[in-house]
Structure formats: C-alpha cells, structure tokens
Amino acid sequence: MIRVGIVGTGGISRSHLEGYRDIPGATLVAACDVQGEGAKNHDLALSLGAKFYTDLEDMLASEELDMLDVCLPTPLHASAVLAGFAHGLHVLSEKPMCRTSLECESVIEAARLSGKKYMVAHVVRFMKPYRYLASVIKSGELGAPVEIMMRRLSHVPEWSYQNWMQDASLSGGSPLDLSIHDLDFLYSILGEPDTASAVYRSFSGADERGRNDLITSSLTWGKISATVIGAQYNADIPFTADFLAVFERGTVELKGGKVYKSGEEVELDEEVAKEGSSGINISSSGAYTDEIAYFIDCIINDRAPEEVLPESSLGSVRLVERLLASATKI
C-alpha cells in the first residue's frame, strides 16, 4: 500500500483528495496546509483519514510516507518537491512544474539523483477529449493537422490564498497558470514549435477595468499552425475550454462539453469541466483520479511515468517563457 501525504489543501487539492477514495493500492495518511483548520479542504482531508499538519517538514519527519502530492501555489512547487526527494519520497506535483525553467532544471536533477518517481500533474493529458484528439493526430486517420485552435477562458481568479494568483510575479498569470494546459498538450504531441509569438496583457491593477489577464499565442510546426488563447476576464463568465482541429480530411472539435469528428458526435462519456464548489475552475471528469492512479501504478510497478516525463514538463515551461520573452505586451 502506497502511503501518501499531501501538501496544500486549497482549491485544486479537492480533485486530488477525492481521487484517493477510488485508487486501489494507495491511502492518504497525512495532509499539510499552513492555514490549518482554515484551509478550504481541511475537513475533507480529515474525513479521508489524514492526520493534519501545518508544517511540511514536521509532516515529513513524523510520518512514514512513500509519496508526496504537492498542491501548493506555483512558487512553492520547487521547494516542496525537493523536500520530498530529501525524505526519500516519490513526488507528484501540480502543474506547472515550477515558476521558472531554472527551478525546473534543479528539480529534474534532484529527481535523477534521488532515484524516485516524479511526475507533474498535467491533467489535460489524461482528459478523454484531448486524448482523443491526440490519437487522431498520431494515427493520421484524417491526414495531417492543418490548424489547431484552443481556448481556455475564466473569470479573474478571486479564490486563491492571499490572492497569489492575481500576482503575475507569483503565478505567472494566465500564460503559466491557465494557457499552459493547452500549450503543454501541443508540446507533448508536436514538440518544440518552429515559431512562437504572442500578445499578452497582464494584471494591471485592482480597479474594475484593469484586472484582465490574457495571452494569445501563435505557433507553427512546419505546415501546422496553432492559435492558443488563455484568458482570465474581469467579467462574470463561466469556465470554458474548447478546441477546433482542422485536418486535411476532416475536423475534431470540442464544443459545449462534447467532441465532434467531422461534425458527428463522438461518445466519450465524460463531462469536460465545471466550476467546483471551492470556486476554482476544475474538471469534473475522472481525469484527476486517472493521473494519480497512473502515477501510483508507476510506483508499484517500478516504471517511469512516460505519460508525462519531467523533461516534457520543463519544455512546456520553457515554451511559456519563450512566448513571454518575445510577446507584444499591451
């Protein structure tokens, strides 16, 4: 039985915590959050049998764990992952891998030296609509992709601890926190793009007109082009994630929570997304459970988590940095 400790019990942790109810071979034994009883999912962690801590080192020193699940704010990913390796644990960490590519490189080296399993939780890679799109691209059944358009839209994130998500120096804003989902998906399938440019508007203030944060990225791989929009709007809009992929002989589209192949609905038996009760925009599918179960299986069977290799997660962070370095900022 893999004994798991989770650090960070804010918004995104709910999807992780609920997953441990359904994963054979794993048990949640400890949870940690500096907010203690004030953490959003404190009570849920307790209901799953976890002993609660407010200090990560205290939890790691006190518990006999096999794995650490990191659900902390982005700038804390690197230090928590390194602490897990230092205590001889396998580590699963929420995306993005780290706040910067330099931190990512340090974490990858630490993972190599530790000999432990490490994976970044890029949940989109486990979502059925995106896995279906990846299969069509790889199989060539509709010919080569010509144009791929992806959108991920939300209202301004107002649910984060001490409002860290609206501080782009901490969260990386919509490019690193939101748009990276789709950029990582494309990177995982097509690799490093030949060209990459963007238009970016960062959070510019707390007034009612200055809190939009959005990036429109344009990428090419040979004759394949893609447009990726990630936006956090100062408006009361529902979370939206969709795509349209145009191939030589047809299309694949995610629209309104359903997938269509050349106009015909494809049955995937999955809700794509909803706004969770915590206020954070999260998937309502089983993809979070699937990614955790996959990582647990890699630990049990002593195999590398090839669905999401650390080098690929580093590549996605570097791609975001590449886009921002050359972006037109408005």
Side-chain angles (χ1 to χ4, degrees):
M1 182 68 68
I2 303 300
R3 294 170 57 87
V4 180
I6 188 169
V7 58
T9 58
I12 196 61
S13 72
R14 175 170 292 274
S15 297
H16 288 238
L17 289 165
E18 290 178 342
Y20 289 108
R21 289 194 179 113
D22 304 315
I23 300 174
T27 182
L28 184 73
V29 298
C32 177
D33 194 297
V34 294
Q35 299 179 83
E37 294 182 359
K40 288 179 180 176
N41 296 307
H42 170 273
D43 292 348
L44 175 58
L46 291 183
S47 73
L48 295 171
K51 182 177 179 180
F52 209 90
Y53 294 82
T54 56
D55 180 80
L56 176 58
E57 282 297 331
D58 186 18
M59 181 179 81
L60 296 178
S62 302
E63 298 288 339
E64 294 184 6
L65 302 175
D66 302 299
M67 171 187 151
L68 180 65
D69 186 339
V70 178
C71 291
L72 290 167
T74 298
L76 302 178
H77 286 183
S79 59
V81 171
L82 292 175
F85 291 145
H87 284 265
L89 305 181
H90 305 287
V91 181
L92 175 71
S93 175
E94 256 302 326
K95 53 57 78 179
M97 177 183 277
C98 299
R99 178 62 184 83
T100 69
S101 59
L102 287 176
E103 288 181 321
C104 294
E105 291 167 4
S106 298
V107 165
I108 288 176
E109 177 63 10
R112 184 187 67 81
L113 292 173
S114 75
K116 297 298 180 178
K117 304 290 184 291
Y118 172 53
M119 191 177 89
V120 179
H122 283 290
V123 71
V124 165
R125 298 200 199 185
F126 291 83
M127 290 182 174
K128 290 180 183 178
Y130 295 86
R131 292 179 80 90
Y132 178 75
L133 174 58
S135 72
V136 174
I137 294 173
K138 292 176 180 178
S139 70
E141 62 185 276
L142 294 179
V146 175
E147 171 71 17
I148 303 172
M149 292 159 278
M150 311 186 85
R151 297 191 312 161
R152 196 165 296 266
L153 314 178
S154 171
H155 54 79
V156 170
E158 298 175 327
W159 51 81
S160 60
Y161 175 61
Q162 296 183 342
N163 209 29
W164 71 269
M165 290 185 70
Q166 290 190 55
D167 184 342
S169 70
L170 299 176
S171 68
S174 59
L176 191 64
D177 189 73
L178 190 63
S179 201
I180 195 172
H181 281 295
D182 298 311
L183 293 168
D184 172 78
F185 172 80
L186 291 172
Y187 185 91
S188 71
I189 303 300
L190 300 172
E192 184 72 23
D194 298 324
T195 66
S197 61
V199 176
Y200 176 50
R201 180 193 296 274
S202 64
F203 293 117
S204 57
D207 63 279
E208 287 302 307
R209 292 174 295 175
R211 294 168 62 227
N212 297 297
D213 173 53
L214 54 104
I215 185 168
T216 301
S217 303
S218 300
L219 313 109
T220 65
W221 295 261
K223 293 185 178 181
I224 304 169
S225 60
T227 302
V228 179
I229 299 174
Q232 297 169 331
Y233 292 123
N234 187 32
D236 186 16
I237 62 171
F239 174 73
T240 301
D242 55 30
F243 61 71
L244 171 63
V246 180
F247 294 81
E248 292 173 316
R249 298 191 299 274
T251 61
V252 176
E253 184 174 16
L254 171 61
K255 180 175 64 175
K258 297 181 179 180
V259 174
Y260 301 87
K261 178 183 176 184
S262 299
E264 297 292 327
E265 185 175 348
V266 180
E267 294 294 335
L268 295 178
D269 189 30
E270 175 176 85
E271 290 181 88
V272 177
K274 69 177 181 181
E275 185 168 303
S277 58
S278 63
I280 190 171
N281 294 322
I282 58 174
S283 167
S284 63
S285 73
Y288 286 91
T289 301
D290 290 345
E291 69 178 347
I292 297 170
Y294 170 78
F295 186 66
I296 296 291
D297 186 70
C298 288
I299 296 172
I300 293 172
N301 292 289
D302 192 23
R303 57 188 178 90
E306 294 181 351
E307 289 285 339
V308 189
L309 291 172
E311 292 76 13
S312 178
S313 297
L314 165 61
S316 299
V317 173
R318 283 178 172 163
L319 177 55
V320 171
E321 291 177 342
R322 177 184 172 186
L323 287 163
L324 289 175
S326 61
T328 298
K329 298 179 174 65
I330 58 175

